[in-house]
Amino acid sequence: MTVRLALPMLAVAALSACVAGPPPEIDTTPPPLPLEFAFAPDAATGSAVASLLPTGDPAFQDLATLALQDAPTLAQAAARIEQARARAAGAGANRLPNIGANASVTGTRTNPAQFGTNLPPGISIDTEQVFYGANLTASWDLDLFGRLRAQERAALARLGAATVEATAVRNALLAEIAGSVIDWRTLAARQDALEQDLKAAASLARLAGTRERAGLSPGFDRVRAESVAEATRSRIAALATDRARIAGRLVALTGQPAQKVLDLLRQTAPDPAQPPAPMTLPSQLLANRPDVVAAAANLEAADADLAASAARRFPQFTLSAALGLLAFDLGDLFDEDSIVGNVSGGLVAPLLDFGRIQAEIDASAAGKQLAFANYRNAVFTALGDAEAGYGLVAAADRQLAAASREFASAERAADLADTRYQAGLSDFLTVLEARRAADASGERVAIARGQAERARVVLWQALGGDQPTSRSTSQ
């Protein structure tokens, strides 16, 4: 008996396996990595990745804390995680038996004429009947060929990808806040430099006016000095536009009202630390970058999708059972004779689907190819971002050092020109040009310092950021 049942089942399985061919092999060899970064420091600097952020700035700390609690982008990422978690739970539940219950009351009425008119004596037809029933049902897909297991693996991999993508959103949020705070501090430093320049220009204009009244210089000197002062005032006024833009960006990032953002930005900040770039290796980068880890998880999910599609070539075995009560009178519903039940096994197999399953396998194979291409793109994007980040830090530090030397030299030249002018050894045009050069170099130092801080934030994000539990702003 067992052999007679097994042979048809094996025949069905063999025929169904011929509906489509095996899934194609997709080459997912990881791309080769360089041994080191070209622009990284030659030796370990002892710096940590977390130190690249302006953690000593109270405005950044407070804004980051508020953003991690109430930022719209993080709420979106959290919702995507919950969505992926629910899908993973559903995929896991599909592998378990499905147990249900039902109850029914059914009334029927029949026409006695359908049984004929020549009924035996004493036999009558009850034309109206009421059935009372209650059942417990159960069904279970045995998943002998792993289709449901593969679907669960895919859902769990996508849950992991959504979780890591939330880390990427968090890192991007912190980097944007850090950059905005740095831009705000840079504007303040530029204004301080411009106000110093304005004082020097105003003093020069007063000196030119005094010499004009004494008949020692023409009035044109005073006019030119006043023009320089007005140009500086115009540049100071233009900074308000950038402040409004930064405040608006922080409102969008943190989900906080503008006045609260402005109050936090007005806190006094220490001088930026500007630590050296930390040393890291390309192999470490791939483990730290959330986008690379998410791409690897999506590749794993695509591989599981392909396995699930391929498993559809084989039969689906299902066990089902029902246990219930059936009576024709409500009072007899719980009698022993009212107990009914059945147990069955089902087999569903594709025999001729005209290429539907093969098309699904081909689509899943293309999806895996796409996932691998996305993974390779994420890897090389991460490597390029890290190289650019290291290069930006090195270039910005050199630019800041050159700007500082230029400023010191320009200030000395301006002081010397002013002294020579007051002694009558130099003309006013020389003093004015020296002052303009000094004014411009002072603002350039502030800009270069902001760029050096910004470059460190870029490198922080390029290296994958720090772990969510490593700093207070990440709680």
Side-chain angles (χ1 to χ4, degrees):
M1 179 68 177
T2 304
V3 175
R4 288 199 299 270
L5 289 175
L7 288 176
M9 294 176 66
L10 290 174
V12 170
L15 288 173
S16 64
C18 297
V19 171
E25 293 292 333
I26 308 298
D27 183 15
T28 56
T29 304
L33 301 178
L35 297 178
E36 59 185 7
F37 292 109
F39 296 103
D42 295 331
T45 59
S47 297
V49 173
S51 66
L52 297 173
L53 290 180
T55 53
D57 193 318
F60 169 73
Q61 287 283 2
D62 293 342
L63 288 169
T65 300
L66 291 172
L68 293 177
Q69 294 172 353
D70 201 28
T73 53
L74 286 182
Q76 293 170 342
R80 286 192 289 270
I81 291 175
E82 292 305 317
Q83 187 179 54
R85 180 175 287 113
R87 289 172 177 168
N94 288 337
R95 298 180 55 200
L96 302 177
N98 187 15
I99 300 174
N102 63 71
S104 64
V105 178
T106 305
T108 63
R109 186 180 188 281
T110 59
N111 185 350
Q114 65 181 326
F115 300 104
T117 57
N118 298 321
L119 295 177
I123 300 299
S124 62
I125 301 299
D126 189 359
T127 60
E128 295 184 354
Q129 288 184 320
V130 179
F131 301 88
Y132 300 91
N135 299 283
L136 288 176
T137 62
S139 63
W140 183 27
D141 188 338
L142 298 181
D143 194 31
L144 295 182
F145 297 100
R147 177 178 56 86
L148 297 180
R149 291 193 297 274
Q151 291 176 349
E152 183 181 19
R153 288 200 309 273
L156 290 173
R158 289 191 172 94
L159 172 58
T163 303
V164 178
E165 286 167 355
T167 302
V169 172
R170 164 194 170 274
N171 287 352
L173 177 65
L174 290 178
E176 283 287 336
I177 294 174
S180 298
V181 172
I182 289 171
D183 290 345
W184 184 274
R185 302 303 185 195
T186 300
L187 289 178
R190 289 174 61 189
Q191 181 163 343
D192 290 343
L194 289 172
E195 287 177 349
Q196 293 296 323
D197 298 341
L198 180 60
K199 290 180 181 178
S203 175
L204 196 60
R206 287 194 299 270
L207 177 60
T210 301
R211 292 176 63 86
E212 177 189 1
R213 289 189 295 271
L216 300 177
S217 64
F220 185 57
D221 290 349
R222 174 183 55 80
V223 173
R224 284 190 296 184
E226 291 174 349
S227 175
V228 171
E230 290 302 325
T232 303
R233 291 189 182 96
S234 177
R235 289 159 65 187
I236 291 174
L239 299 179
T241 301
D242 292 332
R243 285 196 181 91
R245 176 180 53 80
I246 293 171
R249 187 168 64 201
L250 285 171
V251 168
L253 291 171
T254 62
Q256 301 297 317
Q259 190 56 54
K260 186 170 186 177
V261 169
L262 292 173
D263 290 341
L264 294 176
L265 288 172
R266 292 189 183 103
Q267 299 180 86
T268 303
D271 293 334
Q274 293 183 345
M279 183 68 176
T280 188
L281 297 175
S283 57
Q284 295 172 322
L285 175 68
L286 299 191
N288 294 334
R289 283 276 296 219
D291 55 341
V292 176
V293 178
N298 285 325
L299 177 58
E300 181 183 353
D303 180 72
D305 286 339
L306 180 57
S309 297
R312 289 196 59 198
R313 299 177 298 149
F314 301 103
Q316 178 180 346
F317 296 94
T318 304
L319 296 178
S320 60
L323 178 64
L325 301 171
L326 177 64
F328 296 96
D329 187 275
L330 187 60
D332 298 333
L333 184 62
F334 295 100
D335 288 351
E336 183 178 355
D337 293 338
S338 299
I339 299 176
V340 296
N342 65 75
V343 177
S344 64
L347 171 64
V348 178
L351 294 180
L352 186 62
D353 71 343
F354 300 97
R356 294 182 181 88
I357 293 178
Q358 184 61 54
E360 182 177 338
I361 292 174
D362 292 342
S364 297
K368 184 176 178 179
Q369 289 176 331
L370 176 61
F372 180 62
N374 291 337
Y375 173 74
R376 291 185 72 251
N377 180 68
V379 169
F380 288 114
T381 298
L383 293 174
D385 289 346
E387 292 285 14
Y390 277 122
L392 283 174
V393 170
D397 287 350
R398 290 193 297 269
Q399 182 180 355
L400 176 58
S404 300
R405 291 193 299 270
E406 177 195 4
F407 174 68
S409 177
E411 279 293 319
R412 288 195 299 270
D415 292 341
L416 181 58
D418 186 59
T419 301
R420 289 175 59 82
Y421 176 69
Q422 294 186 39
L425 301 177
S426 178
D427 60 6
F428 187 75
L429 182 59
T430 301
V431 177
L432 196 61
E433 290 300 326
R435 175 45 50 194
R436 285 176 176 172
D439 294 348
S441 63
E443 188 178 8
R444 279 197 292 271
V445 169
I447 294 174
R449 182 171 288 108
Q451 290 175 340
E453 293 183 69
R454 267 278 197 170
R456 283 162 171 79
V457 175
V458 171
L459 179 60
W460 176 85
Q461 190 173 7
L463 296 181
D466 52 317
Q467 296 301 316
T469 58
S470 63
R471 295 195 304 102
S472 60
T473 57
S474 305
Q475 301 301 319

